[in-house]
Amino acid sequence: MKFMKLGSKPDAFQTDGSCVRYISSELATDVIISVGDVKFHLHKFPLLSKSNKLQKLVSKAGEESLDEILLVDFPGGPKAFEICAKFCYGITVTLNPYNVVAARCAAEYLEMTEDIDRGNLILKIEIFLNSSILRNWKDSIIVLQTTKSLLPWSENLKIVGRCVDSIASKTSVDPSLITWSYTYNRKLATSGQIIQSGRKFPEKNESVPKDWWVEDICELDIDLYKRVMVAIKSKGRMDGGVIGEALKTYAMRWLPDSVDALVSEVHILRNKALVETIICLLPSDKSISCSCSFLLKLLKVAILIGADDSSREDLIRSISLKLDEALVSDLLIPARSPHTTIYDIELVQRLVDQFVANEKSNRDLKLVDKNSKSEGEFVLGHGSWLQVGKIVDGYLAAIAHDPNLSISCFIKLSRSIPESARPIHDGLYGAIDIYLKEHKNLTKSERKSLCGLMDVKKLTTEASMHAAQNEQLPLRVVVQVLFFEQVRSAAGAHALNNSHNAMDPPRNTQENWGKSAPENRKSLRKQMDEMKVKDEELLKNGKLAKRGSKNRASGAQLLPSRSRRIFDKLWIVGKGLANGENKSSETSASSQSPTSMIQGETKSSGSSSRQRRHSIS
């Protein structure tokens, strides 16, 4: 910390109670000056020789026969006036970062300029500020803090602006050139290192980080902090990531952790100003280093304390640029009246819509260079789509438990992302499964619409096996699952057979189909055996105990009775084709759609089958 001593005489100021200060001298005092609630008994000559203001006031007081001079709204109060008075008497005074601004403002009030006396107080303080204080990092921050209580004097004298510019300039200095203690809040060594080295401060053995200044300026009040950050950004030399880290650090430093403290009447205005300031200082592009998790938490606070609409819109725009980095837990923002759902689903819908719009806009801009890019680059360049797809599916699963969540909201959010963002539908299936279990009173049409969101061809084998045993799903969906799982198994077996017989002479189509059909059946049996093992594990947990109790002697059933019957019918169709019973139907059966398969089953099973489907679905 820098300091400067002025004068050489010993201190002769005495105190008489708490409200009287006088100079100890052989000469009687001849003027009383009141500053605040303190009266100073002093001599006219030393004061008038340094202060133009006091010359005028003393002259006026003599004309009006006043015994006392009253200094109204004196900057810095009695302490600042005492510094000026001691300087006039030549008594030693020490200026430091904590009192220099008050002394400068007081000297300005008293008009202690060079016109009155050469080497007056204003000049000496200015020299001290420019040559020492503003050249020092820590002292500049301390001085800036003291200016707040001395407004508007400190502003008019440009002390605030000079401190802000000094701090902003130092933050952009190359870290490798910084030789001062780059932060007085961060511990440079642990106590063990200090004891071992035997020194108070260890030698610097690591490079100074780019954000070395972040913690220091957190001590500033929000309005001064805003001015410093604006100055830093205006210089254009600070990385947006470091600015984001600074804003995050300041928010964590001053925002309370508890909700009660956030919304308390004592602090809500301060918290509101803090949040709105941080939001307006956020970089406007994706380079911001603040994590999406932090931005979402900031949004929760902004909603809670009632930040203005423009601030919330700016924050939503920043979050939408980084939505692919979000966590589902951070998106679970509590809804407020008049919403009836547990979480604010409309807000998440807006975030997803803005993200999709941004990505589509960026993709359209890149279409010009599409010919110069390889297909691999195109796929890798849209990993954010896939990540947002996973996030949306995870969010749907989280909110599916809400009894007040309408099916229209669920469907709308699910369809907010393009098909390319959801190459696998396991996550969507899981969310639909939860919604069906939590909303038992859905109509047949609603269940059909809900299940229509997923494509059973995009389910993994594990999800397909679960869906085949899921009694919540409509019969039509289960048929589709089983059909496409059979097609997938048949295609895999056929590919494997072709690879084994690549060197064999070609055979007629009838022989190949007749040979491949038994192999397909073997592959299906293998999958059914795997499903049987899983069912046995479920039986141990008691989930299928009732269903499997009739066949424990011969093993647990592989599927629920409904799915098993459907699977058996598919099995019979494949078996008949393998034996070559109907060559003309071979092609048509292999190309049948799931819809046509269902119709065929209904005709063959009679009215009892139709009644059973109606009762289940």
Side-chain angles (χ1 to χ4, degrees):
M1 182 186 297
K2 302 294 183 179
F3 63 92
M4 180 176 71
K5 286 188 176 182
L6 299 175
S8 57
K9 296 180 181 179
D11 191 356
F13 271 68
Q14 303 292 324
T15 301
D16 185 6
S18 60
C19 298
V20 176
R21 296 281 286 165
Y22 64 94
I23 186 74
S24 178
S25 173
E26 297 178 354
L27 299 175
T29 58
D30 53 6
V31 64
I32 300 175
I33 300 176
S34 295
V35 181
D37 57 353
V38 179
K39 297 182 183 296
F40 290 87
H41 296 261
L42 305 172
H43 302 89
K44 294 180 181 179
F45 175 74
L47 298 178
L48 302 185
S49 64
K50 301 286 186 181
S51 171
N52 188 40
K53 179 78 170 180
L54 289 178
Q55 286 182 12
K56 299 174 184 177
L57 291 175
V58 169
S59 175
K60 184 178 179 180
E63 294 174 359
E64 298 177 359
S65 301
L66 298 176
D67 298 331
E68 183 177 331
I69 298 174
L70 182 61
L71 300 182
V72 182
D73 296 330
F74 190 85
K79 290 184 178 179
F81 178 80
E82 186 173 331
I83 292 175
C84 295
K86 287 182 176 180
F87 175 79
C88 293
Y89 279 92
I91 296 173
T92 301
V93 293
T94 302
L95 298 178
N96 57 57
Y98 292 98
N99 64 14
V100 67
V101 178
R104 175 66 182 87
C105 295
E108 187 70 21
Y109 182 98
L110 295 174
E111 300 176 9
M112 302 176 72
T113 64
E114 294 297 293
D115 296 337
I116 301 300
D117 185 49
R118 187 176 180 181
N120 214 339
L121 185 56
I122 290 178
L123 176 63
K124 292 186 179 296
I125 292 177
E126 284 296 328
I127 293 174
F128 178 54
L129 283 172
N130 296 327
S131 64
S132 297
I133 295 296
L134 297 179
R135 292 177 177 269
N136 185 278
W137 168 255
K138 177 181 175 181
D139 291 347
S140 297
I141 295 176
I142 295 174
V143 168
L144 183 59
Q145 287 176 299
T146 64
T147 61
K148 188 174 181 64
S149 61
L150 293 162
L151 295 173
W153 288 90
S154 58
E155 188 71 65
N156 295 336
L157 295 173
K158 304 186 184 304
I159 299 176
V160 177
R162 285 186 283 170
C163 287
V164 168
D165 187 66
S166 172
I167 294 170
S169 298
K170 290 179 176 60
T171 60
S172 58
V173 172
D174 186 350
S176 63
L177 302 178
I178 295 175
T179 57
W180 61 82
S181 177
Y182 59 86
T183 174
Y184 57 93
N185 291 327
R186 185 184 294 119
K187 294 181 179 179
L188 298 181
T190 62
S191 57
Q193 289 175 322
I194 294 174
I195 294 173
Q196 183 178 2
S197 63
R199 294 189 299 270
K200 185 176 181 180
F201 297 103
E203 295 180 359
K204 188 168 76 173
N205 54 8
E206 59 181 15
S207 60
V208 177
K210 291 183 178 180
D211 62 345
W212 60 268
W213 51 272
V214 166
E215 293 179 8
D216 294 347
I217 64 172
C218 282
E219 300 303 314
L220 297 172
D221 291 335
I222 185 62
D223 51 347
L224 295 175
Y225 180 84
K226 179 180 180 179
R227 292 189 61 168
V228 170
M229 292 302 299
V230 169
I232 292 173
K233 293 175 65 177
S234 66
K235 292 185 179 296
R237 290 177 284 181
M238 186 59 61
D239 181 74
V242 180
I243 292 177
E245 181 63 25
L247 297 175
K248 177 181 177 182
T249 304
Y250 191 84
M252 295 177 65
R253 169 70 174 82
W254 291 107
L255 282 177
D257 296 329
S258 67
V259 175
D260 294 338
L262 275 171
V263 298
S264 66
E265 295 182 0
V266 179
H267 302 296
I268 190 168
L269 293 178
R270 170 185 166 276
N271 293 335
K272 183 179 178 181
L274 191 153
V275 170
E276 291 175 355
T277 299
I278 292 175
I279 293 174
C280 78
L281 290 173
L282 288 172
S284 58
D285 52 26
K286 199 172 182 179
S287 65
I288 177 174
S289 73
C290 291
S291 65
C292 192
S293 177
F294 167 72
L295 295 179
L296 283 167
K297 291 176 181 176
L298 193 61
L299 179 59
K300 290 181 183 179
V301 175
I303 295 173
L304 191 63
I305 64 178
D308 61 69
D309 294 339
S310 61
S311 295
R312 279 186 281 180
E313 290 299 321
D314 291 343
L315 189 53
I316 288 173
R317 184 164 49 253
S318 297
I319 294 171
S320 67
L321 294 174
K322 300 168 69 70
L323 189 61
D324 54 315
E325 302 174 13
L327 299 176
V328 173
S329 58
D330 294 323
L331 289 171
L332 298 176
I333 301 174
R336 307 186 73 185
S337 180
H339 298 293
T340 58
T341 54
I342 298 175
Y343 302 109
D344 195 339
I345 300 168
E346 290 185 6
L347 176 59
V348 176
Q349 180 74 59
R350 290 184 58 197
L351 291 172
V352 175
D353 290 343
Q354 287 196 25
F355 173 84
V356 172
N358 292 334
E359 288 295 314
K360 286 184 177 179
S361 176
N362 293 336
R363 177 179 293 188
D364 292 341
L365 292 175
K366 294 177 181 178
L367 285 179
V368 180
D369 301 329
K370 183 178 178 181
N371 295 331
S372 62
K373 291 186 178 181
S374 65
E375 184 177 354
E377 289 176 341
F378 180 79
V379 174
L380 293 176
H382 292 84
S384 56
W385 281 118
L386 305 180
Q387 189 60 32
V388 168
K390 293 179 182 179
I391 293 170
V392 170
D393 289 346
Y395 183 78
L396 288 171
I399 64 175
H401 296 277
D402 188 349
N404 295 325
L405 175 61
S406 66
I407 189 171
S408 59
C409 288
F410 187 98
I411 293 175
K412 181 180 178 182
L413 182 57
S414 174
R415 290 175 174 171
S416 298
I417 56 175
E419 284 297 322
S420 59
R422 192 183 277 132
I424 299 175
H425 280 207
D426 287 17
L428 179 59
Y429 164 68
I432 293 173
D433 180 48
I434 295 173
Y435 192 89
L436 289 172
K437 291 177 180 177
E438 297 294 333
H439 300 77
K440 300 287 187 180
N441 57 344
L442 293 178
T443 65
K444 181 178 180 180
S445 175
E446 288 175 335
R447 293 171 63 195
K448 181 179 179 181
S449 299
L450 189 66
C451 293
L453 294 172
M454 66 176 177
D455 185 350
V456 296
K457 297 189 294 296
K458 295 183 179 181
L459 295 177
T460 63
T461 301
E462 183 179 359
S464 295
M465 287 192 294
H466 185 281
Q469 303 177 70
N470 192 343
E471 295 184 351
Q472 302 290 334
L473 298 179
L475 180 62
R476 181 189 185 92
V477 177
V478 175
V479 171
Q480 290 177 333
V481 170
L482 292 173
F483 175 79
F484 286 114
E485 194 59 33
Q486 184 191 35
V487 171
R488 184 188 302 174
S489 300
H494 184 66
L496 181 62
N497 182 61
N498 288 341
S499 64
H500 287 166
N501 299 325
M503 301 303 294
D504 295 343
R507 302 177 183 179
N508 59 60
T509 305
Q510 183 69 24
E511 291 177 353
N512 288 341
W513 176 255
K515 183 174 181 179
S516 63
E519 292 176 355
N520 292 343
R521 289 198 296 272
K522 290 179 182 180
S523 176
L524 289 171
R525 285 172 181 165
K526 182 178 180 181
Q527 292 185 38
M528 293 176 68
D529 290 340
E530 294 176 354
M531 294 169 68
K532 178 178 178 180
V533 172
K534 291 197 172 186
D535 281 347
E536 289 176 349
E537 294 177 355
L538 293 172
L539 282 169
K540 294 179 182 179
N541 296 328
K543 294 182 179 179
L544 296 175
K546 183 177 180 180
R547 189 181 297 143
S549 59
K550 296 180 181 180
N551 301 317
R552 284 184 180 174
S554 60
Q557 289 181 338
L558 301 178
L559 299 168
S561 59
R562 179 183 65 164
S563 301
R564 185 177 180 83
R565 284 192 296 274
I566 298 168
F567 197 88
D568 288 342
K569 293 180 184 297
L570 294 174
W571 178 275
I572 292 171
V573 172
K575 189 173 182 179
L577 291 173
N579 294 331
E581 293 176 357
N582 190 352
K583 185 175 181 180
S584 64
S585 63
E586 178 178 337
T587 305
S588 62
S590 64
S591 62
Q592 269 185 320
S593 67
T595 305
S596 63
M597 292 294 294
I598 296 172
Q599 293 172 350
E601 291 165 11
T602 305
K603 291 179 181 179
S604 63
S605 59
S607 61
S608 61
S609 178
R610 287 196 297 272
Q611 181 65 26
R612 182 162 53 252
R613 184 185 185 282
H614 177 74
S615 63
I616 294 176
S617 60

